[in-house]
Amino acid sequence: MRMDLDTWEEIFITITRNKTRSLLTAFGVFWGIFMLVALIGGGNGLQGYMKSNFEGFASNSCFVWPQKTGKAYKGFRKGRWWNLEIDDVERLRQNVQGIDVITPTVNYWGRTAILEERKSTCIIKGLYPEYNAIEHQQMNYGRFINDIDILEARKVCVIGNRVYEELFRKGEDPVGRYIRVDGVYYRVIGVNFSDGNIQINGSASESIVIPYTTMQQTYNLGRYIDMVCITAKPGVKVTQIQDEIETVVKRMHIIAPDDKQAVMFLNTEAMFSMVDNLLVGINFLIFLVGIGTLLAGAIGVSNIMMVTVKERTTEIGIRRAIGAQPKDILQQVLSESMVLTTIAGLAGVSFGVMVLQLVEMFLNSGESNPIIFQISFWTAIGATVLLVTLGLLAGLAPAYRAMAIKPIEAIRDE
């Protein structure tokens, strides 16, 4: 739709002549697109926040640990405490075909790490290198424990981000330094900067990881373990192997097969699925509310343009009488509608982006893993295209009404 200088001048005169209506219409479109941008940005931030809670964890993993029995069985009373053993790892690996990675963990809470005069309260974890497949270790310094550390029961450790900040200066490389925990010195071989909000087996940022064999010897743990961590093979769902895992564990530890309390089973795959479904619902709700708000603004534009056309009946009739073609009237009305909608909409997009940027700066102040609230470039382009389209559609009914005005009837109306 080509517009010359005269057309732009007519649009400007019309808009300024009807300031109140134009402002109300512009505000409706402005608010509609602002709400759409804010909702999309807020949805992006919410998705980022929820996903950050699961950061690092394998989506097909599960965790098994013991609880008191809920039923008496084979001479054992109800409420009996029992323990997982290191042998359970191999039993599960041999008897459950769907298991891909399986590894034990042991941990002690409320320990204190000491470096010179500095202290940090921490969790000591005894792990195997395979644990990296369960919870990804984001190593900013050094490395994670390896098979040689396990084989030789080395006194080495990987410290979490918060432990690093409390014991070392910012930017200092701690690899090769020694820290003391429970009277034992460990050489730091790496720093794990993973910082997910799910605290299965304790927060990674507050942990000091040592080889499982080292912890077993240092704390004289025998064959007892605290938890078994498992991932399913590709194509196998955790829910498909859950019953098999529980059956093997209960059989080895003389627990009633129908005891629902004795074996705690956490299925992170189900948690991921639940979050994914929630995010789909949030996106659908954002789409409905945003489009509804925009349509309300477009209807407002159409109504205002309809009133404007009615008020300008005589003017349009005179223009028709002196030679204006129907397409000229159509172009003028559609141009007014599109210009008003586009200007107000772009202002709404800009304001929405600015508000999201301020929210992002405020909430991410000092965070190592910032959450992104901002909309993408192509989302902004799509919103602009949608605005122009809605402006065109909003002006169609008023434009066709203006085209239908006959010069003689318009003059008689006056």
Side-chain angles (χ1 to χ4, degrees):
M1 185 185 300
R2 192 175 67 85
M3 296 186 290
D4 55 22
L5 187 60
D6 292 338
T7 304
W8 281 106
E9 185 178 354
E10 289 175 0
I11 293 172
F12 178 75
I13 292 172
T14 302
I15 292 176
T16 54
R17 184 168 52 191
N18 301 281
K19 290 181 181 179
T20 303
R21 289 200 199 99
S22 298
L23 286 174
L24 288 174
T25 304
F27 180 76
V29 176
F30 170 87
W31 182 253
I33 194 64
F34 167 72
M35 287 295 295
L36 179 61
V37 170
L39 286 169
I40 293 175
N44 290 340
L46 180 60
Q47 290 184 40
Y49 174 75
M50 297 183 74
K51 288 179 179 178
S52 70
N53 289 333
F54 295 90
E55 183 180 9
F57 277 95
S59 59
N60 63 337
S61 61
C62 62
F63 302 84
V64 182
W65 68 94
Q67 289 288 314
K68 288 193 300 184
T69 57
K71 291 186 176 183
Y73 185 67
K74 290 188 176 181
F76 290 99
R77 62 181 177 82
K78 175 183 176 182
R80 170 175 61 97
W81 281 103
W82 62 283
N83 294 287
L84 285 168
E85 299 175 355
I86 189 64
D87 295 335
D88 292 325
V89 174
E90 191 58 34
R91 291 165 184 158
L92 287 169
R93 183 182 284 115
Q94 293 178 358
N95 289 281
V96 182
Q97 300 302 316
I99 290 178
D100 185 21
V101 175
I102 179 169
T103 182
T105 70
V106 287
N107 49 274
Y108 278 178
W109 300 72
R111 303 292 161 168
T112 301
I114 301 173
L115 175 66
E116 298 173 352
E117 300 300 322
R118 296 182 290 273
K119 298 181 180 181
S120 176
T121 301
C122 61
I123 308 163
I124 296 293
K125 295 182 181 179
L127 302 178
Y128 277 90
E130 289 81 5
Y131 187 78
N132 191 46
I134 307 292
E135 182 181 1
H136 177 66
Q137 312 295 303
Q138 182 183 332
M139 307 302 297
N140 282 29
Y141 294 101
R143 61 173 177 84
F144 194 55
I145 57 175
N146 59 28
D147 292 332
I148 303 299
D149 298 327
I150 296 291
L151 184 62
E152 298 181 358
R154 291 175 173 174
K155 289 183 171 60
V156 295
C157 69
V158 175
I159 61 177
N161 184 31
R162 194 178 69 81
V163 177
Y164 166 74
E165 291 174 350
E166 293 180 351
L167 295 183
F168 297 91
R169 291 184 294 274
K170 185 176 182 180
E172 181 181 0
D173 187 350
V175 176
R177 300 287 300 275
Y178 284 84
I179 62 175
R180 180 162 54 91
V181 183
D182 293 338
V184 180
Y185 284 89
Y186 298 94
R187 182 166 58 89
V188 178
I189 60 172
V191 180
N192 176 19
F193 272 64
S194 300
D195 198 20
N197 291 326
I198 291 185
Q199 298 192 10
I200 299 174
N201 201 31
S203 171
S205 65
E206 301 176 359
S207 299
I208 294 180
V209 175
I210 64 178
Y212 171 82
T213 49
T214 304
M215 187 159 184
Q216 189 180 40
Q217 293 177 11
T218 302
Y219 293 96
N220 194 25
L221 298 177
R223 306 196 64 78
Y224 294 143
I225 60 176
D226 292 325
M227 182 184 295
V228 175
C229 310
I230 299 169
T231 62
K233 290 181 179 179
V236 178
K237 293 185 177 296
V238 173
T239 51
Q240 295 174 332
I241 62 175
Q242 178 174 348
D243 289 341
E244 294 182 67
I245 293 172
E246 291 187 1
T247 298
V248 171
V249 171
K250 289 176 180 177
R251 184 173 65 246
M252 293 299 104
H253 293 277
I254 317 177
I255 298 170
D258 57 345
D259 190 338
K260 302 298 182 182
Q261 177 180 309
V263 180
M264 294 300 296
F265 193 98
L266 178 62
N267 184 351
T268 58
E269 185 179 68
M271 295 169 62
F272 274 95
S273 178
M274 180 178 65
V275 170
D276 287 340
N277 292 335
L278 178 61
L279 294 179
V280 169
I282 290 172
N283 288 332
F284 182 68
L285 181 62
I286 289 172
F287 176 79
L288 284 183
V289 174
I291 294 300
T293 308
L294 279 182
L295 288 177
I299 291 171
V301 172
S302 182
N303 290 336
I304 293 297
M305 294 303 299
M306 194 73 77
V307 173
T308 302
V309 167
K310 185 175 182 181
E311 289 182 347
R312 296 169 59 195
T313 299
T314 302
E315 175 192 331
I316 293 173
I318 293 174
R319 289 190 63 188
R320 290 290 303 277
I322 61 177
Q325 298 295 318
K327 68 176 183 179
D328 297 326
I329 305 299
L330 177 66
Q331 176 178 323
Q332 181 181 358
V333 177
L334 288 180
S335 299
E336 292 173 9
S337 174
M338 290 176 63
V339 167
L340 191 61
T341 305
T342 303
I343 293 176
L346 289 176
V349 171
S350 302
F351 185 67
V353 169
M354 182 183 71
V355 170
L356 289 174
Q357 184 65 33
L358 292 175
V359 170
E360 195 172 293
M361 291 171 59
F362 176 75
L363 294 180
N364 290 329
S365 177
E367 292 291 331
S368 58
N369 295 315
I371 297 173
I372 305 301
F373 285 84
Q374 205 56 266
I375 63 173
S376 67
F377 172 77
W378 290 110
T379 300
I381 294 296
T384 304
V385 172
L386 181 60
L387 277 172
V388 175
T389 304
L390 287 176
L392 178 64
L393 295 176
L396 283 178
Y400 280 110
R401 178 172 179 173
M403 286 175 57
I405 295 175
K406 297 180 180 179
I408 190 65
E409 292 179 357
I411 296 173
R412 187 185 300 122
D413 213 24
E414 179 64 19

